[in-house]
Amino acid sequence: MAEDRSSTELAALARQAVATAGVLRLLIERMGDVGWRMQEYTDEDLLTVASALRGTAILMAADIGDTDLMEEITGRRMVEIDPVEWLRQHGDGGGGP
């Protein structure tokens, strides 16, 4: 039960991080449109923060094993695969025994 609550809270936090990253990117774009700049931060600094927020959200989704959330964040279909089965089908790629 406590783990479910923790997963739910982490999923909500991941969604908030993605939303914040999107809002930050939009803010940067709109500020640029009107010729306004932050005094102490470049656009690249702020875009780095937005990217880090999104990346952290992806890690959170992976940590709790929520493929639906991962799909929501990345916009890509996720499929859970057994790593042993994947190696059996594709080989280990290392050319070893």
Side-chain angles (χ1 to χ4, degrees):
M1 185 74 135
E3 189 169 314
D4 288 344
R5 180 175 173 221
S6 176
S7 293
T8 302
E9 289 174 357
L10 203 52
L13 187 58
R15 285 184 177 94
Q16 184 178 5
V18 170
T20 301
V23 169
L24 184 55
R25 287 178 185 274
L26 182 60
L27 177 65
I28 295 163
E29 184 179 321
R30 292 185 68 202
M31 287 175 67
D33 289 348
V34 298
W36 192 264
R37 299 255 182 254
M38 298 280 289
Q39 290 183 359
E40 298 191 22
Y41 300 98
T42 65
D43 288 354
E44 290 77 23
D45 292 335
L46 298 173
L47 288 171
T48 298
V49 171
S51 180
L53 286 168
R54 188 171 181 275
T56 299
I58 291 170
L59 291 174
M60 289 175 186
D63 187 55
I64 59 177
D66 189 334
T67 55
D68 291 336
L69 178 58
M70 186 71 81
E71 288 178 2
E72 182 182 324
I73 293 169
T74 64
R76 297 183 179 181
R77 185 171 173 266
M78 298 291 156
V79 178
E80 291 186 56
I81 343 179
D82 176 22
V84 174
E85 183 60 30
W86 189 89
L87 285 173
R88 188 174 296 124
Q89 292 177 6
H90 302 283
D92 65 8

